[in-house]
C-alpha cells in the first residue's frame, strides 16, 4: 500500500499539536505535513497528499479559497478534503459543501474525541472507499509541441 | 342627539360670521369651497397661510392647488373626487403633500364633501385641511430610530455570533491538553489529581454548552417568515423532537382543538419543543408527566390566539416568574437539573419576532402553565 500523506492546514499551534498526537494514535503509519497558513497550503498541495485536513479561519488565504483552489486544479481535485474547524456557522457549512468539500467536521472538545473523529475519517477514506489513481502532478505550464511550418 | 345648546350654536353660526371664523381657526388649518361648474374656489386665509402665502397672493381659482400639490397626491385626490361625486359613500379623505412657498413639504389631511342640487348632481365641494406635518416629522424620526435600533440589534447579534465562535476556540486546546494529560500521564496522578483534571474538562464542557446556546440564541428568530400553518402540526413536530424524553419519562402530550395560526412554523415548533423539554425536565419524581396544549381566542384581541402549555411538574414560586425568561437565568443548580438557562430566552425571542406575548402561571408542586399568543389565521 502506498504511503499515507496527510496535509494538515492549521494555524493554531495547540490545535496542530493535538491533531498531530491524535493522528499518531488513531491513523497508523503516515507522513504529516503541516501548513500554517493558506499560502503554505497552496504550496504543499502540489505534492498531492492523500488527505487534506483544512481549517477555515487561517491567515493569508482563507480556508474556503484553499478548498476552491484544490477543486479547480485537475491534479488535486480528487484528494479527499475534510474541513476540520471550530465554526458551526450554517453559512460556512453551506459554502464548504457548495465547493465540494468531502466532509465538514467541527473540532470536538477532548483528545479522545479528536482521535475518534480522525480514526473514523482514516477508516472511511483509506479502508472503505475506493479512490482513483492520482493524475500526474502539474509541474509547470504545458509546452505545446512546435507546429512545423508548411 | 338634539340639545338646546346645539340648536343655539347652529343659530349663532348662521347669524354671526365671527363665530364661524373662531371655529375655523381653532379646529382646522384651512377651508376651501369649490364651485364645481366654474372651477372658482375660495380658500380661507389660513389655507393660504399654511403654505406661506398671504390672502392676496393666491387667486381664488382651483389652479393653485392643482399646481402646488405633489403630482402623485393630485392623482389620488382627483380619483377620490370623482368617486365621491358618483357615490356619496365614497369618502373624499386623503393625506397629501403640498409644496410650501419656501420649498419645504407640507403634509395635509384633506377632506371634502360634495354639495348636491335637487337632482343629486354635485355643484359645490366643501373641504377642510388639517396640517399634519409635525406628526409626519415625528413619524419619520420614529421610523429612523426604529431602523437604527434594528440595525444595532442585528449588529449585536452578529457580534454575539462571531464572539461565540471565537470564545469556543481556546476550549479545544484546554480540553484537548487536559484529556491528553489524563491519557498519557493519568497513571502518575492519584485520585485527587484525576478529579482535578476531570473538573477542568467538565468546566470547559459547561462553557462550550453555554457558548453554543448563545450561538443558537443569536440566530433564533432570524428570517422569520409569516405563513398560515396548523398549530397541531407544529405540536406534532415538537413532539417528535422530544420523543426520547417522552419514552424515558413515560410522558404524554395531549393537544386538543388547535387552530391555524400565522407565523414561522419551524420557529414555533422549536418554541414548543423548548417548553416540552422544560416540562419533561422539571417533572415530579413519582408521576409521569402529562402536558396539555390548548388554545382559546385572546379575550383582549380576537385576532390572536392564546395558547396554553400546561404540565403537572414540580412548578415554582411565582416570585421568579419574570427571571426565567432571561438569558442564563436558572432556578436550580446544574447538579440538581442540568441545563444552561437559554431555552426560555429563545422562546421569548421567537415570540418577540412574532409580536406575541408570553407569561407563566405556576405553583410549587402543582405544575406550570405557559401562556403565549400567536396571530390567528382567520377572524372568529
Amino acid at each position: 500500500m502506498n504511503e499515507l500523506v496527510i496535509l494538515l492546514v492549521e494555524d493554531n499551534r495547540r490545535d496542530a499539536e493535538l491533531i498531530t498526537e491524535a493522528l499518531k494514535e488513531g491513523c497508523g503509519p503516515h507522513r504529516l505535513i503541516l501548513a500554517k497558513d493558506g499560502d503554505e497550503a497552496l504550496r504543499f498541495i502540489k505534492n498531492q497528499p492523500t488527505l487534506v485536513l483544512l481549517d477555515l479561519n487561517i491567515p493569508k488565504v482563507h480556508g474556503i479559497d484553499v478548498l476552491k483552489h484544490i477543486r479547480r486544479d485537475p491534479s488535486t481535485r480528487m484528494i479527499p478534503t475534510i474541513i476540520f474547524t471550530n465554526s458551526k456557522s450554517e453559512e460556512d457549512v453551506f459554502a464548504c459543501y457548495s465547493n465540494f468539500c468531502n466532509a465538514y467536521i467541527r473540532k470536538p472538545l477532548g483528545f479522545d474525541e479528536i482521535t475518534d473523529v480522525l480514526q473514523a475519517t482514516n477508516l472511511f477514506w483509506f479502508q472503505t472507499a475506493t479512490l482513483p489513481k492520482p493524475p500526474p502532478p502539474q509541474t509547470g505550464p504545458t509546452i505545446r509541441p512546435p507546429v512545423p511550418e508548411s | 342627539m338634539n340639545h338646546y345648546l346645539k340648536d343655539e350654536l347652529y343659530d349663532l353660526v348662521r347669524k354671526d360670521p365671527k363665530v364661524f371664523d373662531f371655529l375655523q381657526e381653532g379646529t382646522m388649518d384651512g377651508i376651501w369651497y369649490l364651485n364645481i361648474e366654474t372651477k372658482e374656489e375660495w380658500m380661507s386665509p389660513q389655507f393660504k397661510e399654511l403654505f406661506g402665502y398671504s390672502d392676496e397672493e393666491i387667486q381664488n381659482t382651483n389652479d393653485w392647488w392643482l399646481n402646488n400639490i405633489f403630482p402623485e397626491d393630485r392623482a389620488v385626490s382627483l380619483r377620490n373626487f370623482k368617486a365621491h361625486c358618483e357615490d356619496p359613500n365614497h369618502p373624499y379623505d386623503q393625506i397629501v403633500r403640498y409644496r410650501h412657498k419656501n420649498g419645504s413639504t407640507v403634509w395635509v389631511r384633506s377632506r371634502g364633501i360634495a354639495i348636491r342640487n335637487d337632482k343629486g348632481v354635485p355643484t359645490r365641494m366643501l373641504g377642510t385641511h388639517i396640517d399634519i406635518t409635525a406628526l409626519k416629522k415625528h413619524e419619520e424620526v420614529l421610523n429612523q430610530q426604529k431602523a437604527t435600533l434594528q440595525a444595532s440589534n442585528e449588529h449585536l447579534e452578529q457580534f454575539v455570533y462571531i464572539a461565540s465562535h471565537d470564545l469556543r476556540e481556546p476550549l479545544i486546546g484546554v480540553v484537548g491538553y487536559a484529556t491528553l494529560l489524563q491519557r498519557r500521564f493519568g497513571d502518575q496522578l492519584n485520585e485527587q489529581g484525576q478529579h482535578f483534571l476531570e473538573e477542568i474538562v467538565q468546566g470547559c464542557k459547561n462553557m462550550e454548552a453555554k457558548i453554543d446556546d448563545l450561538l443558537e440564541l443569536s440566530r433564533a428568530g432570524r428570517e422569520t417568515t409569516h405563513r398560515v400553518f396548523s398549530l397541531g402540526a407544529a405540536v406534532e413536530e415538537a413532539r417528535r423532537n422530544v420523543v426520547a424524553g417522552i419514552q424515558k419519562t413515560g410522558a404524554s402530550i395531549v393537544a386538543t382543538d388547535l387552530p391555524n395560526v400565522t407565523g414561522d412554523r419551524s420557529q414555533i415548533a422549536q418554541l414548543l419543543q423548548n417548553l416540552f423539554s422544560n416540562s419533561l425536565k422539571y417533572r415530579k419524581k413519582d408521576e409521569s408527566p402529562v402536558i396539555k396544549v390548548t388554545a382559546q381566542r385572546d379575550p383582549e384581541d380576537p385576532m390572536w390566539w392564546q395558547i396554553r402549555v400546561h404540565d403537572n411538574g414540580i412548578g415554582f414560586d411565582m416570585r421568579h416568574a419574570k427571571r426565567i425568561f432571561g438569558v442564563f437565568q436558572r432556578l436550580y443548580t446544574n447538579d440538581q437539573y442540568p441545563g444552561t438557562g437559554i431555552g426560555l430566552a429563545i422562546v421569548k425571542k421567537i415570540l418577540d419576532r412574532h409580536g406575541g406575548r408570553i407569561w407563566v402561571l405556576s405553583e410549587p408542586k402543582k405544575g406550570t402553565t405557559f401562556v403565549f399568543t400567536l396571530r390567528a389565521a382567520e377572524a372568529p
Side-chain angles (χ1 to χ4, degrees), chain B residues 24-64:
Chain B
Q24 205 242 128
E25 272 169 44
T27 53
M28 306 170 247
D29 302 299
I31 285 191
W32 50 273
Y33 188 52
L34 171 73
N35 182 334
I36 294 177
E37 287 144 354
T38 66
K39 307 297 177 198
E40 287 168 292
E41 182 170 354
W42 176 78
M43 289 156 276
S44 69
Q46 276 117 322
F47 179 110
K48 299 171 180 175
E49 195 189 317
L50 179 58
F51 305 113
Y53 297 92
S54 67
D55 196 14
E56 300 78 42
E57 276 180 282
I58 298 178
Q59 292 297 308
N60 285 325
T61 72
N62 77 343
D63 290 345
W64 185 86

Side-chain angles (χ1 to χ4, degrees), chain A residues 10-15 17-18 21 25 55 57 85-91 106-114, chain B residues 161 164-177 179-180 183-184 204-205 208 211-212 215-216 219 222:
Chain A
E10 175 62 70
D11 64 315
N12 184 310
R13 182 174 51 78
R14 282 185 278 272
D15 288 9
E17 185 178 16
L18 286 168
E21 293 300 321
E25 294 211 1
D55 191 9
N57 202 3
T85 189
N86 168 49
S87 157
K88 68 163 185 180
S89 119
E90 278 167 40
E91 290 88 343
R106 193 187 197 202
K107 287 179 195 161
L109 291 197
F111 182 75
D112 290 355
E113 286 81 352
I114 296 175
Chain B
Y161 186 68
S164 308
H165 271 127
D166 286 352
L167 287 174
R168 183 185 184 265
E169 190 153 24
L171 292 181
I172 299 169
V174 178
V175 182
Y177 281 106
T179 46
L180 185 55
R183 190 182 173 90
R184 300 260 170 97
C204 289
K205 294 216 161 150
E208 185 198 28
I211 289 170
D212 277 352
L215 269 175
E216 205 180 316
R219 295 272 123 157
R222 272 172 97 238

